[in-house]
Amino acid sequence: MEAFTELAQRAEQAFGEARTPAELEDAKARFLGKSGEVTAQMKQLASLGADEKKARGAEINAAKQRVEALLSARRQALAEAELALQLRAESLDITLPGRRRGSGGLHPITRAMERIEAIFGSMGFEVADGPEIETDWFNFTALNTPADHPARSMHDTFYVEGGNVLRTHTSPMQIRHAVRHVKAHRAALDAGLPMPEIRVIAPGRTYRVDSDATHSPMFHQVEGLWIGESISFKDLKSVYVSFIRAFFETSDLQIRFRPSYFPFTEPSAEIDMMFGSGPLKGRWLEVSGSGQVHPQVIRNMGLDPERYIGFAFGSGIDRLAMLRYGVADLRLFFDGDLRFLSQFK
Ligand code: PHE
C-alpha cells in the first residue's frame, strides 16, 4: 500500500510539471502506458497466488484509478489555462468606440476644378476636355510656336513615341475646341452669317519636366477662351476679376496685368493677384498667363482674324487651390497622404 501511495505522489508531481497537453501525455505514458509503472505492477500479478493476487490486484486498481483521476484533473486544468489564455488574447474592449467605415471625399484639386467650372459656367462658359498626349501641332505649331521657335524652350517637354508630347499646357484645347466649333458652324460662316461666340474653359492635367515645392511634373491648368467679333482685353479683365473674386469669395484683393510674352497671344500679360488681408497680404502672386489671341492662331482655328478676335488665359489650378486652402507645398496634393487629404472632406 505504501508503495502505491508513493507512486501516486510521483504521478501527481509528474503531471503537475507537465506544462502542455503533449508533455502531459508523455507523463501519462510513464505511468499508464504499455511499459508504464502501473502496467508493470499489473504484469507482476500473474506470478502471485490467488489470495495475494486478489488483495494486490485491488490495491493496484485503486492506485490506477487514483492516477487516472489525477491525470484527468491535470488535463482539465491545462485545458482551462489554455482557454483562459486564448480568451485574454482575443478579449474585446467593449468600451472602445466603434469602428466606422471611412468615408471618402473629393480631392482638393477636384474641388477647386468644380468651383472653377461652376463660376465660369455662371458666366456662360462651356467646359471642354481633351487628350493629355498631344500632337506637336496642337501643343506648339498651331499655337504659333513652330519647331525652331525659341519659345519652345519655355517648356521642359516630355516627349513620347511618335513625336507626340505630354501636353505642356492646356492651350492646345483652344485650337481643338475652336476647330470643332467652327466646323459645327461652317455653313453659317460660309454664308457670311454670324457665328455664335466661342466661350469655353478646359481644365485638366498638364506635364513638364520640373519638380520642387511649387512645381510638380504633373500639374493642372485651366484654359479659357472667348472669341467673337468684338471681344477685347477689357472683357478679359472683367471676366478674370469676377472669377478671382468668386473663387476666393472676397473683393478684398487686387489684380494686375503685367506685360509678358506668349507666342500665341499679342499683347500678352501675366495676371498677378494680391490679398488685402490674411497671411499673404501685400504679396503679388502670379496665377495666370493671358492675352489677346494672336491673328495666326485665329487663322489656325479656321477663322478670319479681320473679323474674329478674343482673349485666352491659362491659369494654374494647383496654385489657386494652394492659395484658397492655405497649402504651402504643392507636392502634398499628390502624395496621397490621408492625413492631409481627409482635411478637405
Ligand atoms: N499656355 C500658357 C502657359 O502655360 C498660358 C497662357 C494661356 C498664356 C493662354 C496666354 C494665353 O504658360
Side-chain angles (χ1 to χ4, degrees):
M1 192 65 201
E2 210 28 57
F4 292 120
T5 311
E6 191 261 347
L7 185 146
Q9 275 169 357
R10 276 190 291 111
E12 184 168 21
Q13 183 172 358
F15 294 163
E17 282 167 3
R19 293 272 153 255
T20 64
E23 281 175 24
L24 184 59
E25 293 314 303
D26 284 349
K28 172 196 162 186
R30 269 189 275 137
F31 294 94
L32 300 172
K34 259 194 210 144
S35 45
E37 287 191 43
V38 175
T39 319
Q41 296 286 349
M42 295 273 205
K43 282 179 187 158
Q44 281 174 19
L45 283 180
S47 61
L48 299 177
D51 284 349
E52 221 180 331
K53 197 187 256 178
K54 200 174 168 193
R56 211 161 154 73
E59 279 175 26
I60 295 175
N61 260 333
K64 190 182 174 200
Q65 276 168 17
R66 170 95 184 109
V67 172
E68 279 171 345
L70 287 167
L71 175 70
S72 73
R74 183 61 185 154
R75 266 191 189 138
Q76 200 176 335
L78 280 181
E80 275 167 13
E82 193 178 8
L83 182 65
L85 210 66
Q86 191 180 350
L87 284 177
R88 212 174 319 134
E90 294 175 2
S91 75
L92 295 176
D93 181 351
I94 57 163
T95 65
L96 285 174
R99 228 182 270 166
R100 294 174 192 210
R101 182 178 299 198
S103 62
L106 290 178
H107 191 279
I109 297 296
T110 307
R111 293 171 65 116
M113 280 195 185
E114 289 190 345
R115 275 187 79 71
I116 293 168
E117 289 175 16
I119 296 164
F120 279 105
S122 76
M123 293 192 270
F125 282 75
E126 293 180 58
V127 178
D129 198 6
E132 290 170 29
I133 296 177
E134 201 37 290
T135 62
D136 185 275
W137 166 258
F138 283 115
N139 196 81
F140 290 121
T141 310
L143 290 162
N144 203 31
T145 319
D148 54 357
H149 198 288
R152 284 212 181 198
S153 63
M154 288 163 71
H155 298 191
D156 284 314
T157 311
F158 284 111
Y159 288 91
V160 297
E161 281 139 32
N164 293 327
V165 301
L166 296 186
R167 65 178 180 190
T168 57
H169 50 178
T170 44
S171 298
M173 283 308 296
Q174 288 183 33
I175 310 293
R176 284 188 178 273
H177 182 80
V179 164
R180 210 157 38 211
H181 184 94
V182 167
K183 200 168 162 196
H185 299 284
R186 189 78 263 167
L189 281 162
D190 287 348
L193 295 169
M195 176 192 76
E197 290 181 344
I198 297 172
R199 206 183 302 165
V200 69
I201 60 162
R205 278 187 278 268
T206 45
Y207 302 85
R208 284 183 211 176
V209 186
D210 216 351
S211 186
D212 60 37
T214 52
H215 297 90
S216 147
M218 187 283 300
F219 58 106
H220 299 82
Q221 284 192 337
V222 56
E223 196 75 9
L225 178 69
W226 188 351
I227 303 285
E229 295 194 10
S230 61
I231 305 304
S232 70
F233 228 89
K234 151 177 98 11
D235 300 298
L236 166 63
K237 279 192 163 182
S238 74
V239 163
Y240 210 85
V241 169
S242 306
F243 159 64
I244 288 292
R245 284 186 179 158
F247 187 82
F248 290 105
E249 292 175 283
T250 176
S251 315
D252 187 16
L253 46 80
Q254 288 182 57
I255 295 193
R256 78 176 175 198
F257 288 72
R258 181 164 41 85
S260 185
Y261 172 78
F262 298 101
F264 34 91
T265 46
E266 182 59 36
S268 304
E270 218 88 52
I271 307 177
D272 301 334
M273 60 174 283
M274 182 164 77
F275 290 106
S277 58
L280 292 167
K281 176 181 172 176
R283 259 180 62 193
W284 285 110
L285 308 155
E286 184 187 318
V287 288
S288 190
S290 68
Q292 182 174 301
V293 180
H294 192 286
Q296 184 55 44
V297 175
I298 297 278
R299 228 172 267 127
N300 292 341
M301 291 172 175
L303 292 169
D304 175 5
E306 295 296 326
R307 182 159 179 193
Y308 290 97
I309 188 167
F311 67 78
F313 62 82
S315 310
I317 296 179
D318 313 300
R319 167 57 74 90
L320 291 170
M322 284 171 82
L323 294 174
R324 179 168 165 88
Y325 299 122
V327 174
D329 190 329
L330 172 71
R331 290 168 291 199
L332 285 169
F333 284 137
F334 310 124
D335 283 349
D337 187 332
L338 286 179
R339 288 169 304 177
F340 171 74
L341 294 174
S342 59
Q343 296 174 64
F344 298 92
K345 281 202 297 209

